[in-house]
């Protein structure tokens, strides 16, 4: 992390966070030792990928064990191979289908993975909101996490808030009109 910091890929993001407990108790938490990529969240992964042969937009349909190496077959039938190791980052259901032929025990464990939804919005405001907090963590209500994006290093000066709804609220409102979701979360942010 220190090397990334010195190279300008990440920067410290210290600030004051508001923490709201499930009983409504509010407390301030100083966010020390936190780093974020700059100038955007993808900056660090872009840096890490510079030395890697990345093939975006290639859907892998099969993993093959060939002697001591691994090969990947894409949806066009092209084989990419000779790998010593692999990392599967697909969602559990997709990973399970890929791993079943070559690692059935691991694939079986993925059957128990359950996902919780998270509705998220980014809102731009004409004027800064009247708060000294850079982020809010909330254990009650519709919002679980909200962050004042311009408080992160390198993000500019526009007043943008990113809001993540709680899993329970997201599940209950997953099929709601997105405009209604945004308005509800905006109102809740104002309340917080």
């Amino acid at each position: 992390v220190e090397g990334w910091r010195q190279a300008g890929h990440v920067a410290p993001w210290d600030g004051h966070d508001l923490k709201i407990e499930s009983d409504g108790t509010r407390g301030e938490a100083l966010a020390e030792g936190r780093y974020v990529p700059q100038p955007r969240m993808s900056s660090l992964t872009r840096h890490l990928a510079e030395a890697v042969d990345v093939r975006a937009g290639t859907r892998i349909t099969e993993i093959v064990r060939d002697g001591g190496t691994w090969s990947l077959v894409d949806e066009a039938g092209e084989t990419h191979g000779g790998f010593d190791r692999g990392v599967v980052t697909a969602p559990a259901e997709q990973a399970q289908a890929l791993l079943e032929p070559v690692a059935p025990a691991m694939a079986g464990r993925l059957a128990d993975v359950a996902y919780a939804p998270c509705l998220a919005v980014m809102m731009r405001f004409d004027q800064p909101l009247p708060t000294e907090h850079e982020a809010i963590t909330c254990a009650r209500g519709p919002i679980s996490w909200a962050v004042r994006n311009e408080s992160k290093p390198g993000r500019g000066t526009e007043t943008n808030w990113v809001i993540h709804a709680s899993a329970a609220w997201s599940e209950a409102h997953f099929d709601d009109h997105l405009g209604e979701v945004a308005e509800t979360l905006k109102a809740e942010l104002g309340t917080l």
Side-chain angles (χ1 to χ4, degrees):
V1 172
E2 182 58 26
W4 294 336
R5 189 195 63 74
Q6 289 178 8
H9 301 299
V10 300
W13 180 36
D14 297 330
H16 296 281
D17 291 5
L18 175 63
K19 186 173 184 178
I20 304 172
E21 304 291 348
S22 58
D23 65 0
T25 305
R26 293 172 175 248
E28 191 164 311
L30 187 59
E32 295 178 353
R34 180 171 57 188
Y35 291 84
V36 293
Q38 64 171 357
R40 63 190 59 82
M41 292 305 282
S42 64
S43 297
L44 182 58
T45 53
R46 289 174 190 267
H47 163 68
L48 294 172
E50 287 173 358
V52 179
D53 179 11
V54 176
R55 311 238 177 127
T58 303
R59 184 173 185 265
I60 301 301
T61 58
E62 185 180 2
I63 300 173
V64 179
R65 180 74 167 162
D66 185 19
T69 62
W70 297 91
S71 295
L72 307 173
V73 180
D74 66 28
E75 64 186 343
E78 186 176 339
T79 299
H80 312 267
F83 303 113
D84 295 327
R85 292 176 184 85
V87 177
V88 178
T89 62
E93 187 174 314
Q94 294 170 3
Q96 185 179 16
L98 286 171
L99 292 170
E100 185 63 42
V102 293
M106 185 181 294
R109 291 175 44 200
L110 293 173
D112 296 331
V113 173
Y115 290 97
C118 177
L119 291 170
V121 297
M122 182 177 205
M123 297 183 179
R124 178 177 296 158
F125 295 91
D126 292 334
Q127 300 294 322
L129 300 182
T131 179
E132 67 277 7
H133 297 103
E134 281 76 33
I136 302 168
T137 304
C138 194
R140 63 183 281 172
I143 294 177
S144 64
W145 166 253
V147 61
R148 188 169 55 89
N149 206 46
E150 77 274 11
S151 71
K152 297 175 187 173
R155 296 308 197 272
T157 59
E158 290 181 341
T159 300
N160 295 311
W161 280 79
V162 176
I163 304 167
H164 290 187
S166 69
W169 193 88
S170 293
E171 187 169 352
H173 297 274
F174 197 78
D175 293 322
D176 290 3
H177 184 273
L178 294 180
E180 293 172 16
V181 168
E183 285 303 316
T184 299
L185 295 177
K186 178 182 174 185
E188 183 66 16
L189 179 64
T191 300
L192 295 178

